[in-house]
Amino acid sequence: MTEMQKLYLLVPLAPLAGAIIAGLFGKAIGRAGAHWVTILGVAVSFVASIFVYQDVAAGNVFNGTVYTWATSGDLKFEVGFLIDSLTTTMMLVVTFVSLMVHIYTIGYMHDDPGYQRFFSYISLFTFSMLMLVMSNNFLQLFFGWEAVGLVSYLLIGFWYTRPSAIFANLKAFLVNRVGDFGFLLGIGLIAAYTGSLNYADVFAQGQKLASTHVELFQGEPWTLVTVICICLFIGAMGKSAQVPLHVWLPDSMEGPTPISALIHAATMVTAGIFMVSRMSPLFELSDVALSFVMVIGAITALFMGFLGIIQNDIKRVVAYSTLSQLGYMTVALGASAYSVAIFHLMTHAFFKALLFLAAGSVIIGMHHDQDIRNMGGLRKYMPITWITSLVGSLALIGTPFLSGFYSKDSIIEAVALSHLPGAGFAHFAVLAGVFVTAFYSFRMYFLVFHGKERFHVHAGHGHDAHGHGQHGTPHESPRVVTVPLILLAIPSVVIGYLTVQPMLFGDFFEGAIVVSEQHPVMAELAHHFKGALAMGLHAFVTAPFWLALAGVALAWFFYLKRPELPQAIRAKFGLVYEILENKYYFDRINEVVFAGGARLVGRGLWKGGDQGLIDGIVVNGSAKVVYWVAQITRLFQSGYIYQYAFSMIIGVFVLLTFWFNRG
Amino acid sequence: MTGLPLLSLAIWVPVFGGLAVLATGSDRNASLARGLALIAAIAGFLVTIPLYTAFDVKSAAMQFTETLPWIPGFNIKYQLGVDGISVLFILLNSFITVLVVLAGWRVIEEKVAQYMAAFLIMSGLMNGIFCALDAVLFYVFFEASLIPMYIIIGVWGGPNRVYAAFKFFLYTLLGSLLMLVALIYLFFESGLSFSILEWHQVKLPMKAQILIFLAFLLAFAVKVPMWPVHTWLPDAHVEAPTGGSVVLAAIMLKLGAYGFLRFSLPIAPDASRELAWLMIALSLIAVVYIGFVALVQADMKKLIAYSSISHMGFVTLGFFIFNQLGVEGALVQMISHGFVSGALFLCVGVLYDRMHSRQIADYGGVVNTMPKFAALFMLFAMANSGLPATSGFVGEFMVALGAIKYNFWVGFAAATTLILGAAYTLWMYKRVVFGAVANHHVAELKDIDGREFLVLGLLAACVLAMGIYPFPFVEVMHASVDNLLKHVALSKVL
């Protein structure tokens, strides 16, 4: 094993070691011990990732096996790493955000009795996520996929005595399992037709998959690669919360805020985006699948944004914003702009983690009240949280020169250049989404940090966590909380400007992401690109900038200038409000049709099939038949001589009759 | 290789150990009975270890064979041997026996010697089933193993134990009657031989193969159990004491599945292929139908019993898609299910010993008072849902891939277990373990003690080891499974 390979192993194993120590020996090492050991593990992993990144940047790509998990026939199941530019990008994002969240957690979970357990979980998550992104095969991808789902489940239900939390985590797991169901079918088809689970082997046979047709439904031949890609994408829809499998993400806010930032904003939910980018050699072979991806993404981007407008829980606003931004990334995937999707994934990881952690800071400051209607004017009390939130919000809405601008604008441009069916709708959706994003982001920003101080009236009842401190004026959070905010704010501002050129138009993703010549979106985009500075300046004459500005202005007008207006509008558009309030009725349908239906079917099969038909009629029925027969034959066993004698006489007569008539 | 008759030891050490325990008599000597039982169980497990370490993975032939004449007049022999298909089950069985003895250590207070003896004797007899190469010997072990289980349910069982014991006994006995007819038929067809290996080579016309297949099917399907002859299992589980449930789920269900591989497939390959559609259909019904039924159970043991049926559906599915992934995945699933279902029944036992209820509704918030238990239970629940890095994933994944390879829609139906399995297992877990403390009984619960921790911890280690590195388990099977599939692919029709 070379030095580099040892380093690869160190990246996931360091957090795993931390997780095991904090998990099994949490009591022995104490609270400080738990956070030190896990932070150390993640820090080691982060530093190692930097070295790996430099090595890859120098042109060293690694693709190799760590160990053989099992074999069966010709099929090999292996655990191995593929280390290229796509992987290292993800490794850096994951370990950096994870490190920030670890540090932040010291402050956020300070009084929680489950302190050690929490650190153990988030380190375990980091391990799982790294295994997912570093994999060179579908088995390990699936392992990481499910493992991050498990940790997400454990963390959403972290406060396990709360009914809403344990409802949300079960829901999250099951909805994700629906996605995994599709994912498994995709993997199964790949294994069946290529005889391998290794990415490189599978990609090499891409043309074969594209020219094979399967008839899943009579008379509807599809290319195999289309079926595979759609199946895989169903997995991505679960993990990356795309409509209609998005329903778990808003509820996942029941978990503590640090994990909302780490898992449900920055990393895990982007696994689907990463996976599709990783599979670009396959997706490129199917226009149908790409169209499907784009339309699903567009629906998510726009319609989930609308829901952000009416939320009053600070975390839920950010959650719907995450859904909408995941939609943007998915749209980019569908437009064959994989590098743009990964670019947005990265910038989003920074500013969304920032927004979540800032929201958490507000929650601490507000003594665990999460309702933005009870806030207002917090900028006076929480200056660092205020400024960093502003930075995050500006980045999110795509303010020129900030990181979100470069990624989001590139998505909009890329979609405009796509010619696949559905691209027109997707373009409209992402443009309209800009306005919506700006509106809900600044609605929240103004309600929280500006305007009248409303907390004196309401302050008190928390939704979040543990015991309540003394009530009173909000206060700025301790340094373990604010330092990560600042450290995340820096990349939220500059990372886009610095990396847009190499990531999108350089050869950074060369070899890792494949784009076919039929989808020359990126090449055309490169024509228009004249450098990061020019791109920022050009923004002022494009529609997205003015749409975003309009959104901010409208939010300002509604929530600072004329705060009575929203009420009036709500009253006027009762039906629309009703639909939004019920989140388009997805939850209702799932609960009644799927959950209720499954229980109904189960009860029917159990009572009707098992107990009624099989046991009732066949099993106990045959026992009853035996019983009846026995009852009847018993009549002849009466023990009375005269009855026996009588039946003998009858018998003799019958026999004699036969005897005489035999001729 | 050692010169010892290892397989005979694997059978008779527990049996004679059991008889010795029985000899300690009444409950005055209960502690002696316990100690002796533990020694016998551990000795029984130790003698099986060389079966794995000295096993030649390259060979598909029977290994560690022993042959002695038994009833020469009918050419019946005491003939033993194991191959890659059967060897792991002997280890699993002997291992589970140790755990069962430990699990019943303090819980069983009446007729201790008899209880322990029943398990030990049953363990030996079941080892006999897995390594018998003579059909009569197989049949004797197969039927004899029913008796201890019948007694275990009937004596140490719950309030409705008599109904359950009868149902169990009659169901399985009736199932195996036609098998006896088939055995006798094969005896004559093969030129007066009861050797199972010789039967594998006997040429048979299609019609005879179909009849033989159906006769075996009835016997084995009841044991597995396959839909629709499964209804004895939930009743048996509910009434059986914890140890009984563990052995029933972990080992006894495997006997039927094993029978398919040892008898049905190699003796009637053409009929197996001909009737594969039926077997696949029944298996898928088990996976889906039973998955839904498990969802609505209010009794934890019943829920896990139904879950077992559903998981065994995966096993039979794997057998009858006739590819290496399927068969090996099914075998892995059988081993894994031995660990996982055994562990889940032990978990329910831990709760039952404290609360004397198996009703999900009586629980809630157990994690607050029993955190260690909750963590282990979580691991087993996740394994039951087929989460990667647990043993439950390995077999399910392999069979699912094999099924998709066989036919997309078969794989589609099978893969629904991903959703259903998680739904019924985790929904139960949520209602029992999570939440606020539901009542004062739960508030008074004590976390697991050292003995319980040891038993569950050992199983947890197995579940994880097999999930993270299944290679050693799968490696053993390759040669034999490969050989079997080649054999099945050839026509035996005259």
Side-chain angles (χ1 to χ4, degrees):
Chain A
M1 202 189 286
T2 65
E3 291 302 309
M4 232 29 231
Q5 278 165 275
K6 282 181 196 155
L7 209 57
Y8 300 151
L9 272 178
L10 184 67
V11 173
L13 292 186
L16 178 65
I20 292 173
I21 295 170
L24 296 185
F25 310 107
K27 234 181 221 152
I29 59 175
R31 295 162 84 89
H35 72 234
W36 278 117
V37 72
T38 50
I39 287 174
L40 182 72
V42 177
V44 165
S45 181
F46 174 58
V47 173
S49 297
I50 294 176
F51 283 115
V52 173
Y53 170 78
Q54 286 175 337
D55 186 56
V56 170
N60 297 318
V61 171
F62 174 83
N63 181 7
T65 303
V66 177
Y67 73 93
T68 301
W69 186 74
T71 60
S72 183
D74 300 327
L75 194 59
K76 268 191 170 164
F77 300 96
E78 290 171 332
V79 172
F81 293 146
L82 169 59
I83 311 289
D84 61 9
S85 50
L86 183 57
T87 312
T88 52
T89 308
M90 292 301 290
M91 282 160 68
L92 284 176
V93 170
V94 170
T95 51
F96 177 70
V97 176
S98 175
L99 184 61
M100 292 303 111
V101 168
H102 272 76
I103 296 169
Y104 177 92
T105 299
I106 300 175
Y108 193 85
M109 300 298 282
H110 190 263
D111 304 315
D112 199 280
Y115 194 78
Q116 289 96 320
R117 187 162 57 94
F118 190 84
F119 275 99
S120 172
Y121 286 172
I122 53 177
S123 273
L124 184 65
F125 169 77
T126 311
F127 159 74
S128 312
M129 190 70 199
L130 287 167
M131 289 299 279
L132 190 161
V133 300
M134 293 170 76
S135 167
N136 75 344
N137 65 78
F138 287 92
L139 171 77
Q140 190 181 333
L141 177 70
F142 194 72
F143 160 79
W145 196 263
E146 296 274 294
V148 292
L150 166 73
V151 190
S152 164
Y153 167 82
L154 292 172
L155 281 166
I156 296 170
F158 185 77
W159 289 311
Y160 47 70
T161 52
R162 283 204 237 160
S164 55
I166 58 178
F167 173 78
N169 76 343
L170 185 63
K171 179 173 168 184
F173 198 89
L174 292 183
V175 173
N176 266 295
R177 271 290 166 114
V178 175
D180 298 347
F181 169 72
F183 198 40
L184 180 70
L185 290 179
I187 294 175
L189 284 172
I190 287 171
Y193 285 90
T194 67
S196 174
L197 288 175
N198 193 293
Y199 294 158
D201 296 347
V202 173
F203 296 160
Q205 298 184 56
Q207 282 307 329
K208 190 184 114 189
L209 297 177
S211 54
T212 311
H213 286 74
V214 286
E215 224 173 278
L216 295 183
F217 303 98
Q218 208 74 45
E220 299 243 355
W222 287 27
T223 65
L224 185 60
V225 76
T226 298
V227 179
I228 288 175
C229 287
I230 288 180
C231 284
L232 293 176
F233 181 66
I234 289 172
M237 284 164 68
K239 198 101 316 184
S240 292
Q242 300 294 304
V243 175
L245 299 182
H246 66 283
V247 288
W248 63 274
L249 187 66
D251 287 8
S252 77
M253 295 300 127
E254 289 295 334
T257 305
I259 64 117
S260 306
L262 175 62
I263 301 183
H264 304 122
T267 57
M268 183 189 86
V269 289
T270 59
I273 311 296
F274 162 78
M275 187 269 287
V276 175
S277 305
R278 186 44 97 204
M279 300 305 141
S280 60
L282 296 182
F283 278 83
E284 278 303 291
L285 299 170
S286 170
D287 283 3
V288 179
L290 286 175
S291 269
F292 181 68
V293 169
M294 184 147 55
V295 170
I296 293 283
I299 293 172
T300 309
L302 183 57
F303 288 91
M304 293 301 116
F306 287 142
L307 294 183
I309 297 172
I310 60 146
Q311 302 300 318
N312 290 319
D313 181 313
I314 186 169
K315 282 180 73 181
R316 288 200 178 236
V317 180
V318 191
Y320 279 103
S321 156
T322 305
L323 279 173
S324 166
Q325 295 305 308
L326 288 167
Y328 272 88
M329 296 175 211
T330 308
V331 168
L333 297 173
S336 292
Y338 305 97
S339 53
V340 181
I342 294 294
F343 184 44
H344 194 52
L345 184 163
M346 177 182 76
T347 60
H348 176 261
F350 294 125
F351 63 69
K352 191 52 67 65
L354 169 61
L355 282 172
F356 259 120
L357 295 186
S361 174
V362 168
I363 293 169
I364 303 175
M366 290 295 298
H367 308 291
H368 296 282
D369 188 350
Q370 299 185 195
D371 194 328
I372 52 177
R373 288 169 301 188
N374 301 341
M375 300 176 186
L378 287 185
R379 69 180 191 281
K380 261 198 304 198
Y381 306 96
M382 312 182 73
I384 301 176
T385 308
W386 165 51
I387 293 291
T388 50
S389 288
L390 180 60
V391 168
S393 302
L394 289 172
L396 167 65
I397 67 167
T399 311
F401 301 108
L402 299 192
S403 64
F405 158 74
Y406 288 102
S407 52
K408 193 187 279 186
D409 227 42
S410 304
I411 292 176
I412 297 168
E413 302 271 311
V415 179
L417 292 170
S418 173
H419 301 297
L420 291 177
F425 165 67
H427 187 232
F428 164 76
V430 290
L431 264 185
V434 171
F435 173 78
V436 177
T437 308
F439 182 70
Y440 67 68
S441 300
F442 274 81
R443 168 182 175 260
M444 180 179 96
Y445 169 77
F446 288 135
L447 282 175
V448 172
F449 293 105
H450 294 265
K452 231 171 61 198
E453 296 172 7
R454 295 179 297 273
F455 43 81
H456 289 306
V457 211
H458 297 284
H461 299 292
H463 296 269
D464 210 349
H466 31 88
H468 305 268
Q470 67 289 16
H471 298 303
T473 50
H475 54 82
E476 183 59 285
S477 303
R479 205 166 302 159
V480 283
V481 170
T482 53
V483 168
L485 294 183
I486 296 166
L487 289 179
L488 283 165
I490 295 167
S492 298
V493 175
V494 300
I495 196 95
Y497 184 86
L498 296 179
T499 59
V500 60
Q501 204 278 329
M503 277 184 84
L504 299 193
F505 308 112
D507 53 3
F508 184 69
F509 286 127
E510 181 103 16
I513 287 173
V514 174
V515 181
S516 92
E517 285 167 11
Q518 266 95 52
H519 307 130
V521 167
M522 287 315 291
E524 285 181 35
L525 214 53
H527 273 302
H528 304 295
F529 183 75
K530 304 273 185 311
L533 186 65
M535 186 173 170
L537 291 172
H538 178 70
F540 294 105
V541 296
T542 59
F545 173 76
W546 295 102
L547 282 169
L549 193 65
V552 175
L554 193 68
W556 171 79
F557 186 72
F558 272 7
Y559 295 96
L560 286 185
K561 184 84 178 156
R562 300 277 304 277
E564 74 285 357
L565 263 185
Q567 281 300 337
I569 293 172
R570 176 183 303 179
K572 203 114 190 213
F573 296 93
L575 182 67
V576 177
Y577 183 76
E578 186 82 356
I579 292 171
L580 291 179
E581 182 79 321
N582 286 292
K583 299 166 267 178
Y584 310 116
Y585 299 96
F586 274 109
D587 282 340
R588 189 78 61 81
I589 292 167
N590 286 335
E591 269 156 42
V592 174
V593 177
F594 293 107
R599 284 195 297 265
L600 202 69
V601 169
R603 205 157 286 133
L605 291 176
W606 181 38
K607 298 275 182 201
D610 268 31
Q611 294 193 336
L613 201 64
I614 298 173
D615 264 3
I617 296 181
V618 182
V619 177
N620 296 346
S622 44
K624 276 197 190 110
V625 169
V626 172
Y627 178 76
W628 288 329
V629 173
Q631 287 291 311
I632 293 163
T633 49
R634 217 170 85 177
L635 295 176
F636 300 103
Q637 314 262 326
S638 58
Y640 296 110
I641 300 285
Y642 64 88
Q643 282 184 358
Y644 291 167
F646 185 63
S647 47
M648 262 174 76
I649 291 165
I650 292 175
V652 168
F653 267 109
V654 171
L655 286 175
L656 282 176
T657 315
F658 275 113
W659 176 259
F660 285 120
N661 295 322
R662 71 189 193 283
Chain B
M1 203 184 284
T2 51
L4 288 167
L6 288 170
L7 291 173
S8 283
L9 286 174
I11 298 170
W12 301 111
V13 166
V15 170
F16 284 110
L19 292 175
V21 172
L22 206 54
T24 61
S26 73
D27 281 339
R28 267 176 300 145
N29 300 324
S31 50
L32 176 65
R34 288 188 185 109
L36 210 56
L38 185 61
I39 292 168
I42 291 176
F45 178 55
L46 289 179
V47 298
T48 62
I49 289 177
L51 290 176
Y52 181 79
T53 53
F55 190 85
D56 177 9
V57 298
K58 297 274 185 312
S59 164
M62 288 294 164
Q63 307 186 26
F64 308 101
T65 48
E66 297 169 31
T67 311
L68 291 170
W70 182 22
I71 308 173
F74 289 100
N75 201 10
I76 297 171
K77 295 185 192 116
Y78 175 82
Q79 193 176 9
L80 306 175
V82 286
D83 62 358
I85 292 170
S86 51
V87 64
L88 290 177
F89 294 103
I90 295 184
L91 278 109
L92 176 70
N93 180 23
S94 305
F95 174 67
I96 293 287
T97 306
V98 178
L99 299 187
V100 165
V101 169
L102 278 174
W105 200 259
R106 216 166 297 158
V107 183
I108 300 295
E109 288 165 341
E110 281 171 34
K111 308 196 187 75
V112 176
Q114 290 84 341
Y115 177 87
M116 298 291 180
F119 277 100
L120 285 167
I121 292 170
M122 185 162 61
S123 164
L125 295 175
M126 288 192 299
N127 276 344
I129 298 171
F130 286 119
C131 62
L133 295 180
D134 183 282
V136 174
L137 190 63
F138 174 87
Y139 190 79
V140 169
F141 281 132
F142 196 78
E143 297 299 322
S145 67
L146 286 182
I147 299 164
M149 184 54 90
Y150 173 72
I151 294 171
I152 287 166
I153 299 175
V155 175
W156 291 274
N160 204 10
R161 58 181 180 263
V162 176
Y163 172 76
F166 263 109
K167 198 169 174 182
F168 160 75
F169 197 85
L170 288 179
Y171 237 121
T172 42
L173 187 73
L174 289 177
S176 48
L177 282 181
L178 279 177
M179 175 168 80
L180 186 61
V181 177
L183 296 182
I184 293 166
Y185 173 82
L186 284 165
F187 171 68
F188 289 114
E189 281 300 307
S190 62
L192 307 184
S193 165
F194 274 114
S195 159
I196 298 170
L197 294 180
E198 280 174 37
W199 287 1
H200 289 182
Q201 309 305 330
V202 175
K203 298 247 182 254
L204 291 166
M206 193 61 167
K207 211 169 163 188
Q209 282 196 35
I210 299 262
L211 287 173
I212 288 172
F213 185 88
L214 291 177
F216 281 128
L217 172 62
L218 195 61
F220 299 143
V222 166
K223 266 270 161 59
V224 168
M226 295 178 76
W227 187 87
V229 286
H230 63 278
T231 57
W232 62 272
L233 187 73
D235 285 316
H237 269 308
V238 166
E239 299 304 328
T242 302
S245 286
V246 172
V247 173
L248 194 55
I251 314 297
M252 249 191 186
L253 303 190
K254 311 301 177 308
L255 299 175
Y258 169 75
F260 281 119
L261 290 189
R262 188 60 80 224
F263 289 88
S264 310
L265 288 177
I267 292 175
D270 300 280
S272 300
R273 288 198 303 273
E274 188 74 20
L275 294 175
W277 64 271
L278 174 71
M279 302 302 292
I280 289 170
L282 293 179
S283 306
L284 290 179
I285 292 174
V287 171
V288 179
Y289 171 117
I290 299 296
F292 277 111
V293 172
L295 200 59
V296 296
Q297 298 306 312
D299 180 310
M300 283 189 266
K301 264 192 155 180
K302 249 190 180 151
L303 194 151
I304 300 167
Y306 276 110
S307 152
S308 284
I309 302 169
S310 178
H311 281 94
M312 291 307 287
F314 247 75
V315 172
T316 46
L317 173 67
F319 289 166
F320 284 90
I321 54 181
F322 303 120
N323 56 40
Q324 196 142 8
L325 266 175
V327 177
E328 290 182 356
L331 284 167
V332 171
Q333 171 86 334
M334 284 160 74
I335 307 274
S336 157
H337 182 258
F339 296 139
V340 177
S341 66
L344 285 174
F345 279 117
L346 285 166
C347 285
V348 176
V350 163
L351 291 176
Y352 184 81
D353 293 341
R354 288 163 172 72
M355 302 255 298
H356 298 286
S357 167
R358 292 180 313 261
Q359 297 302 312
I360 294 171
D362 290 344
Y363 291 86
V366 168
V367 61
N368 296 291
T369 41
M370 303 178 72
K372 266 190 262 174
F373 169 75
L376 285 164
F377 193 12
M378 167 61 77
L379 174 69
F380 299 128
M382 282 296 167
N384 203 44
S385 321
L387 197 86
T390 66
S391 63
F393 167 72
V394 188
E396 236 171 69
F397 188 66
M398 290 169 77
V399 173
L401 291 196
I404 295 167
K405 192 173 180 178
Y406 176 82
N407 177 302
F408 180 80
W409 291 112
V410 169
F412 184 91
T416 53
T417 195
L418 219 58
I419 304 166
L420 288 171
Y424 59 70
T425 313
L426 296 182
W427 191 32
M428 172 189 77
Y429 187 86
K430 173 193 166 221
R431 286 175 291 166
V432 172
V433 178
F434 286 147
V437 174
N439 52 49
H440 69 277
H441 297 294
V442 174
E444 288 158 12
L445 284 175
K446 290 247 177 330
D447 208 345
I448 46 176
D449 59 24
R451 179 184 57 88
E452 291 164 325
F453 185 79
L454 176 70
V455 173
L456 293 176
L458 280 172
L459 282 167
C462 294
V463 165
L464 284 174
M466 192 170 175
I468 293 167
Y469 192 46
F471 189 81
F473 294 88
V474 186
E475 187 195 21
V476 177
M477 302 165 184
H478 289 323
S480 298
V481 170
D482 194 37
N483 188 42
L484 174 72
L485 287 172
K486 280 191 187 126
H487 181 89
V488 174
L490 295 175
S491 177
K492 281 176 85 179
V493 177
L494 285 167

